[in-house]
Amino acid sequence: MRRRFSPGVIAIIAIVTVLAVGITVGVFALLNRTVTGEGCLVTTPGGTIPLEIEQAQVAAAIAGVAHRRKLPERAVVIAYATGIQESKLLNIPFGDRDSLGVFQQRPSQGWGTPEQLLDPVYTAGKFFSALVKVKDYRKIPLHEAAQAVQRSADGSLYAQHEENAEILAAAFTGRVPGAVHCWFDLEDEEKPVPDPDPAAARRELARTLGSGTTLETSSRRRGWLIATWSVAHAQKYGLRRVGYDGRSWNVEDGEEGGWRTDAEASASRIRLS
């Protein structure tokens, strides 16, 4: 027997279908958008992903906190996949009920104050503190580990972001050198770039990586993590150049630039200016 629907029901079904398609497309295009004027590009052997500068800053903060805690790259991958699903790796001040921030954590559930949860360094620390308590989190499927922390309505959704998360983790942890390139307009009157403040950048690095952090590097991977963090935060701190390990990044090279050969760039210390 064929069921007949009223015009009103058909209209509702059509609206819901359109919204569902829109949400799906939005999630699919999450990290694959065209960024003009300013932005970042992540390039690794695993693939290429364009990011907004804020997304790159959040990703760099998460990788930095994981490094301070001596966590494996898998922990960073899980955090990125979770952040992509929850907020598109953006530090948003709203969400479902009282959820907010990168991981959409809720003050009412004991994650922290609203101000704390809008700090990527703090909120990444809270995420990792919960993640390391998940039994075998490095071995179980990504969505299971993420869901054990987040307890969301549908934990299976985290799995769809694993490939992008792996590309980002390879870049921001410093495992793939020179994988992140950012650009922005120094003459943008609507979004003026501050004067170079390497000292402020170093203070934020110390807060992210641990007190006492300097631009000296004990390993090549750590050095590239710091250099990548610096490029991601160049706009915020007015940095024009970052040099390390025989290469340098220069904002004046624009979107077509990247990490270029620089014989004066030390392999033992990151140069900011």
Side-chain angles (χ1 to χ4, degrees):
M1 182 174 65
R2 181 175 298 174
R3 180 180 297 177
R4 294 184 178 181
F5 296 102
S6 68
V9 172
I10 293 174
I12 292 174
I13 292 174
I15 292 172
V16 171
T17 301
V18 169
L19 288 174
V21 171
I23 292 172
T24 301
V25 171
V27 171
F28 179 79
L30 167 59
L31 297 174
N32 296 286
R33 64 183 73 185
T34 300
V35 183
T36 58
E38 65 177 48
C40 298
L41 193 66
V42 177
T43 305
T44 76
T48 299
I49 299 176
L51 296 176
E52 295 179 3
I53 288 179
E54 182 184 346
Q55 291 173 312
Q57 291 173 350
V58 167
I62 291 172
V65 173
H67 179 76
R68 167 160 50 93
R69 295 185 170 219
K70 297 180 172 60
L71 297 178
E73 189 172 319
R74 180 64 176 174
V76 180
V77 172
I78 296 169
Y80 285 162
T82 304
I84 292 170
Q85 176 62 33
E86 297 291 353
S87 68
K88 300 183 180 180
L89 279 182
L90 294 169
N91 194 22
I92 54 178
F94 56 84
D96 178 48
R97 287 170 285 187
D98 60 335
S99 301
L100 71 167
V102 177
F103 298 106
Q104 288 292 280
Q105 297 158 335
R106 298 177 61 192
S108 63
Q109 299 300 309
W111 287 99
T113 67
E115 292 76 15
Q116 287 173 323
L117 295 180
L118 289 174
D119 174 4
V121 173
Y122 173 89
T123 197
K126 295 294 287 187
F127 180 88
F128 287 131
S129 291
L131 179 63
V132 296
K133 296 176 183 177
V134 178
K135 185 178 179 180
D136 294 329
Y137 77 88
R138 286 176 286 185
K139 299 178 181 178
I140 62 177
L142 180 146
H143 70 278
E144 292 182 10
Q147 176 66 354
V149 174
Q150 297 294 103
R151 303 185 184 279
S152 65
D154 186 356
S156 66
L157 295 176
Y158 299 118
Q160 65 187 315
H161 305 298
E162 186 165 1
E163 182 178 353
N164 279 334
E166 289 175 345
I167 293 171
L168 296 178
F172 284 96
T173 62
R175 179 164 62 82
V176 177
V180 178
H181 163 54
C182 297
W183 64 91
F184 49 89
D185 185 359
L186 291 172
E187 307 300 327
D188 189 343
E189 296 181 356
E190 296 184 1
K191 195 173 184 178
V193 178
D195 292 333
D197 194 348
R202 288 196 299 271
R203 288 193 295 271
E204 182 61 15
L205 261 171
R207 190 175 77 90
T208 303
L209 298 179
S211 60
T213 297
T214 70
L215 298 180
E216 306 291 340
T217 178
S218 56
S219 70
R220 189 165 183 254
R221 181 162 179 169
R222 176 182 170 88
W224 276 110
L225 181 146
I226 294 174
T228 298
W229 183 98
S230 301
V231 169
H233 288 82
Q235 185 185 52
K236 181 175 182 178
Y237 296 106
L239 304 179
R240 271 57 170 177
R241 297 175 183 82
V242 178
Y244 175 64
D245 195 28
R247 295 195 238 176
S248 64
W249 166 90
N250 189 330
V251 68
E252 294 181 357
D253 290 339
E255 184 175 356
E256 302 304 318
W259 289 90
R260 303 184 185 279
T261 300
D262 182 353
E264 296 182 359
S266 171
S268 60
R269 179 181 175 83
I270 292 86
R271 182 185 68 216
L272 306 181
S273 60

mmCIF file of all heavy atoms in Angstrom, residues 49 67 107 114 120 122 126 137-138 144 179 184 193 199 223 237 244 260:
data_model
loop_
_atom_site.group_PDB
_atom_site.id
_atom_site.type_symbol
_atom_site.label_atom_id
_atom_site.label_comp_id
_atom_site.label_asym_id
_atom_site.label_seq_id
_atom_site.Cartn_x
_atom_site.Cartn_y
_atom_site.Cartn_z
ATOM 1 N N ILE A 49 46.455 20.612 2.622
ATOM 2 C CA ILE A 49 45.235 21.149 3.236
ATOM 3 C C ILE A 49 45.379 22.657 3.420
ATOM 4 O O ILE A 49 46.318 23.113 4.073
ATOM 5 C CB ILE A 49 44.966 20.502 4.609
ATOM 6 C CG1 ILE A 49 44.769 19.002 4.479
ATOM 7 C CG2 ILE A 49 43.744 21.137 5.266
ATOM 8 C CD1 ILE A 49 44.601 18.289 5.814
ATOM 9 N N HIS A 67 53.455 18.128 22.831
ATOM 10 C CA HIS A 67 54.902 18.008 22.925
ATOM 11 C C HIS A 67 55.360 18.222 24.362
ATOM 12 O O HIS A 67 56.221 17.471 24.868
ATOM 13 C CB HIS A 67 55.562 19.029 22.002
ATOM 14 C CG HIS A 67 57.068 19.000 22.032
ATOM 15 N ND1 HIS A 67 57.800 18.029 21.409
ATOM 16 C CD2 HIS A 67 57.961 19.820 22.645
ATOM 17 C CE1 HIS A 67 59.098 18.250 21.607
ATOM 18 N NE2 HIS A 67 59.212 19.328 22.362
ATOM 19 N N PRO A 107 31.501 24.244 30.542
ATOM 20 C CA PRO A 107 31.819 24.641 31.920
ATOM 21 C C PRO A 107 30.968 23.899 32.945
ATOM 22 O O PRO A 107 31.465 23.531 34.015
ATOM 23 C CB PRO A 107 31.516 26.147 31.916
ATOM 24 C CG PRO A 107 31.700 26.560 30.492
ATOM 25 C CD PRO A 107 31.218 25.400 29.681
ATOM 26 N N PRO A 114 34.398 29.561 31.225
ATOM 27 C CA PRO A 114 34.309 29.965 29.819
ATOM 28 C C PRO A 114 35.600 30.617 29.325
ATOM 29 O O PRO A 114 36.041 30.361 28.204
ATOM 30 C CB PRO A 114 33.140 30.950 29.819
ATOM 31 C CG PRO A 114 32.260 30.485 30.931
ATOM 32 C CD PRO A 114 33.226 30.022 32.003
ATOM 33 N N PRO A 120 43.131 28.029 23.717
ATOM 34 C CA PRO A 120 43.503 26.749 23.098
ATOM 35 C C PRO A 120 44.545 25.963 23.887
ATOM 36 O O PRO A 120 44.518 24.725 23.890
ATOM 37 C CB PRO A 120 44.033 27.160 21.728
ATOM 38 C CG PRO A 120 43.334 28.439 21.424
ATOM 39 C CD PRO A 120 43.230 29.144 22.753
ATOM 40 N N TYR A 122 44.953 25.914 27.226
ATOM 41 C CA TYR A 122 44.267 25.301 28.370
ATOM 42 C C TYR A 122 43.359 24.162 27.926
ATOM 43 O O TYR A 122 43.400 23.063 28.490
ATOM 44 C CB TYR A 122 43.433 26.355 29.113
ATOM 45 C CG TYR A 122 42.563 25.756 30.202
ATOM 46 C CD1 TYR A 122 43.045 25.612 31.496
ATOM 47 C CD2 TYR A 122 41.268 25.317 29.926
ATOM 48 C CE1 TYR A 122 42.268 25.036 32.491
ATOM 49 C CE2 TYR A 122 40.480 24.743 30.915
ATOM 50 C CZ TYR A 122 40.977 24.602 32.191
ATOM 51 O OH TYR A 122 40.188 24.029 33.166
ATOM 52 N N LYS A 126 43.288 20.099 28.851
ATOM 53 C CA LYS A 126 42.166 19.358 29.442
ATOM 54 C C LYS A 126 41.795 18.158 28.581
ATOM 55 O O LYS A 126 41.485 17.082 29.092
ATOM 56 C CB LYS A 126 40.965 20.285 29.612
ATOM 57 C CG LYS A 126 41.175 21.417 30.598
ATOM 58 C CD LYS A 126 41.351 20.897 32.023
ATOM 59 C CE LYS A 126 40.065 20.403 32.631
ATOM 60 N NZ LYS A 126 40.206 20.049 34.062
ATOM 61 N N TYR A 137 44.294 4.054 24.262
ATOM 62 C CA TYR A 137 43.824 5.069 23.311
ATOM 63 C C TYR A 137 44.673 5.116 22.041
ATOM 64 O O TYR A 137 44.198 5.535 20.981
ATOM 65 C CB TYR A 137 43.784 6.451 23.978
ATOM 66 C CG TYR A 137 45.124 7.134 24.134
ATOM 67 C CD1 TYR A 137 45.645 7.936 23.114
ATOM 68 C CD2 TYR A 137 45.861 6.991 25.299
ATOM 69 C CE1 TYR A 137 46.874 8.566 23.263
ATOM 70 C CE2 TYR A 137 47.090 7.615 25.458
ATOM 71 C CZ TYR A 137 47.586 8.404 24.439
ATOM 72 O OH TYR A 137 48.809 9.025 24.583
ATOM 73 N N ARG A 138 45.913 4.678 22.124
ATOM 74 C CA ARG A 138 46.781 4.692 20.938
ATOM 75 C C ARG A 138 46.475 3.540 19.983
ATOM 76 O O ARG A 138 46.882 3.580 18.819
ATOM 77 C CB ARG A 138 48.253 4.628 21.359
ATOM 78 C CG ARG A 138 48.771 5.923 21.953
ATOM 79 C CD ARG A 138 50.190 5.789 22.437
ATOM 80 N NE ARG A 138 50.273 5.014 23.681
ATOM 81 C CZ ARG A 138 51.401 4.829 24.365
ATOM 82 N NH1 ARG A 138 52.536 5.337 23.922
ATOM 83 N NH2 ARG A 138 51.395 4.154 25.495
ATOM 84 N N GLU A 144 36.585 5.846 18.767
ATOM 85 C CA GLU A 144 36.308 5.326 20.098
ATOM 86 C C GLU A 144 37.081 6.109 21.159
ATOM 87 O O GLU A 144 36.549 6.413 22.235
ATOM 88 C CB GLU A 144 36.661 3.847 20.172
ATOM 89 C CG GLU A 144 35.748 2.955 19.332
ATOM 90 C CD GLU A 144 36.090 1.483 19.469
ATOM 91 O OE1 GLU A 144 36.907 1.142 20.366
ATOM 92 O OE2 GLU A 144 35.556 0.669 18.686
ATOM 93 N N ALA A 179 56.490 22.197 6.561
ATOM 94 C CA ALA A 179 55.225 21.766 5.955
ATOM 95 C C ALA A 179 54.123 22.811 6.031
ATOM 96 O O ALA A 179 53.088 22.652 5.384
ATOM 97 C CB ALA A 179 54.741 20.469 6.618
ATOM 98 N N PHE A 184 49.867 36.735 4.765
ATOM 99 C CA PHE A 184 48.897 37.762 5.130
ATOM 100 C C PHE A 184 49.402 39.097 4.616
ATOM 101 O O PHE A 184 50.593 39.249 4.291
ATOM 102 C CB PHE A 184 48.671 37.815 6.646
ATOM 103 C CG PHE A 184 49.936 37.849 7.467
ATOM 104 C CD1 PHE A 184 50.545 39.049 7.806
ATOM 105 C CD2 PHE A 184 50.528 36.661 7.906
ATOM 106 C CE1 PHE A 184 51.710 39.076 8.564
ATOM 107 C CE2 PHE A 184 51.698 36.673 8.665
ATOM 108 C CZ PHE A 184 52.283 37.882 8.990
ATOM 109 N N VAL A 193 48.484 44.632 10.957
ATOM 110 C CA VAL A 193 49.437 43.714 11.558
ATOM 111 C C VAL A 193 50.321 44.499 12.519
ATOM 112 O O VAL A 193 50.828 45.561 12.164
ATOM 113 C CB VAL A 193 50.312 43.043 10.471
ATOM 114 C CG1 VAL A 193 51.342 42.118 11.109
ATOM 115 C CG2 VAL A 193 49.426 42.270 9.497
ATOM 116 N N ALA A 199 59.592 38.955 21.328
ATOM 117 C CA ALA A 199 59.587 38.671 22.765
ATOM 118 C C ALA A 199 58.227 38.152 23.216
ATOM 119 O O ALA A 199 58.139 37.204 24.007
ATOM 120 C CB ALA A 199 59.956 39.932 23.547
ATOM 121 N N GLY A 223 62.650 21.553 16.883
ATOM 122 C CA GLY A 223 62.935 22.808 16.207
ATOM 123 C C GLY A 223 61.888 23.138 15.160
ATOM 124 O O GLY A 223 61.421 24.273 15.063
ATOM 125 N N TYR A 237 51.802 38.155 16.116
ATOM 126 C CA TYR A 237 52.929 38.820 16.758
ATOM 127 C C TYR A 237 53.748 39.675 15.799
ATOM 128 O O TYR A 237 54.845 40.116 16.140
ATOM 129 C CB TYR A 237 53.819 37.775 17.437
ATOM 130 C CG TYR A 237 53.098 37.055 18.549
ATOM 131 C CD1 TYR A 237 52.662 35.738 18.391
ATOM 132 C CD2 TYR A 237 52.795 37.706 19.744
ATOM 133 C CE1 TYR A 237 51.967 35.088 19.399
ATOM 134 C CE2 TYR A 237 52.103 37.063 20.756
ATOM 135 C CZ TYR A 237 51.678 35.760 20.574
ATOM 136 O OH TYR A 237 50.989 35.118 21.576
ATOM 137 N N TYR A 244 65.193 28.618 10.258
ATOM 138 C CA TYR A 244 65.642 27.442 11.003
ATOM 139 C C TYR A 244 66.150 26.371 10.047
ATOM 140 O O TYR A 244 65.575 26.184 8.959
ATOM 141 C CB TYR A 244 64.503 26.871 11.855
ATOM 142 C CG TYR A 244 64.873 25.580 12.558
ATOM 143 C CD1 TYR A 244 65.881 25.555 13.517
ATOM 144 C CD2 TYR A 244 64.247 24.378 12.238
ATOM 145 C CE1 TYR A 244 66.257 24.370 14.146
ATOM 146 C CE2 TYR A 244 64.606 23.195 12.862
ATOM 147 C CZ TYR A 244 65.610 23.196 13.816
ATOM 148 O OH TYR A 244 65.981 22.025 14.424
ATOM 149 N N ARG A 260 62.221 28.744 2.051
ATOM 150 C CA ARG A 260 63.266 28.806 1.032
ATOM 151 C C ARG A 260 64.638 28.529 1.653
ATOM 152 O O ARG A 260 64.843 28.733 2.847
ATOM 153 C CB ARG A 260 63.264 30.176 0.358
ATOM 154 C CG ARG A 260 61.916 30.543 -0.276
ATOM 155 C CD ARG A 260 61.999 31.873 -1.005
ATOM 156 N NE ARG A 260 60.705 32.303 -1.527
ATOM 157 C CZ ARG A 260 60.168 31.877 -2.647
ATOM 158 N NH1 ARG A 260 60.824 30.981 -3.384
ATOM 159 N NH2 ARG A 260 58.990 32.330 -3.059
#
